[in-house]
Amino acid sequence: MIRQLTHLLVLILLWSCNQSSDESKKSEQSKRTKPESTTNKFSEVTTFGYKNFKIKKGQLGEIKIGMTIAEAEQKFKELKKEVNQATKFGYGGGSPAYLYYHKDSLVFGLIPKLDTDTLLFIIAASQKLITTNKLNPNSTVKKISDKYPNIKVNQDLMNRWEYISDTTNNWEFVFKTDEKTIGDYLELEIPSDLKNLDIKADWIVIK
């Protein structure tokens, strides 16, 4: 009798060990076949339709001078918004500058009239934004002069920058020049011929 009980206990113990081994194998197999999390591998990718935001006379895409900021913001999406000061772009008076970024790159800015919500200036900043005559906010003086023969450059005396004006479309190509300037200014407020043609614009102001 004792021998039979002993035999039975040994069988139960062996069965228990086999069950634990099977469970362990299943657990390991489950770990190996479980798909990896993609949370860190893939980040959400957003796109922005630059081609739909042509730089035109008085407007950028469907954003037009004279709109309210709220109306302008209905014309685009998928951009991060930052509030800065208009002085960043050379405009005093205390107006804010509403800046819009795709990822970490500034696309454009909107500057309203002082103490209003009415859009006064559009700052086209991304080189992916193209004018109707195929220039962009990062075009060189040479490329700009090719489109505007005999054009001259002006000094911004307040900011010590330079700018080239397209008076037909009400655009200004702004250059934050320092020691190396585009023109030579013998008299104040007198435009200069173009001297250094390799300097690139920093942005285009749409008025």
Side-chain angles (χ1 to χ4, degrees), residues 55-73:
I55 299 172
K56 306 174 185 178
K57 183 176 182 177
Q59 65 187 89
L60 176 65
E62 295 183 8
I63 303 170
K64 298 180 181 180
I65 299 298
M67 283 183 168
T68 65
I69 299 299
E71 288 171 338
E73 289 180 342

Side-chain angles (χ1 to χ4, degrees), residues 11 21 24 37 39 51 54 57-58 63 73 76 82 85 111 116 125 146 148-149 151 192 196-197 205:
L11 289 175
S21 177
S24 178
S37 172
T39 302
K51 65 181 180 180
K54 184 81 71 177
K57 183 176 182 177
I63 303 170
E73 289 180 342
F76 59 90
E82 175 186 298
Q85 295 296 317
I111 299 177
T116 75
D146 288 343
Y148 307 101
I151 197 76
S192 168
N196 293 309
L197 303 182
V205 179

Side-chain angles (χ1 to χ4, degrees), residues 126-145:
S126 172
Q127 65 181 17
K128 295 180 182 179
L129 300 174
I130 308 299
T131 66
T132 50
N133 59 357
K134 308 301 182 184
L135 297 173
N136 68 63
N138 198 227
S139 290
T140 63
V141 174
K142 175 65 169 64
K143 287 186 177 179
I144 295 170
S145 66

Side-chain angles (χ1 to χ4, degrees), residues 98-113:
Y98 300 101
L99 308 181
Y100 303 90
Y101 291 81
H102 179 229
K103 299 181 180 178
D104 294 323
S105 299
L106 177 61
V107 180
F108 59 82
L110 304 178
I111 299 177
K113 293 180 182 178

Side-chain angles (χ1 to χ4, degrees), residues 5-57:
L5 287 173
T6 302
H7 184 66
L8 181 60
L9 287 173
V10 170
L11 289 175
I12 291 172
L13 182 61
L14 288 173
W15 179 83
S16 176
C17 289
N18 286 335
Q19 286 294 102
S20 297
S21 177
D22 288 344
E23 289 298 322
S24 178
K25 288 179 180 178
K26 287 179 181 178
S27 176
E28 286 298 321
Q29 186 176 11
S30 176
K31 288 179 181 178
R32 287 196 299 268
T33 58
K34 185 179 180 180
E36 294 182 12
S37 172
T38 59
T39 302
N40 296 325
K41 185 177 288 187
F42 301 103
S43 59
E44 185 179 355
V45 177
T46 60
T47 58
F48 181 70
Y50 289 94
K51 65 181 180 180
N52 298 321
F53 287 80
K54 184 81 71 177
I55 299 172
K56 306 174 185 178
K57 183 176 182 177

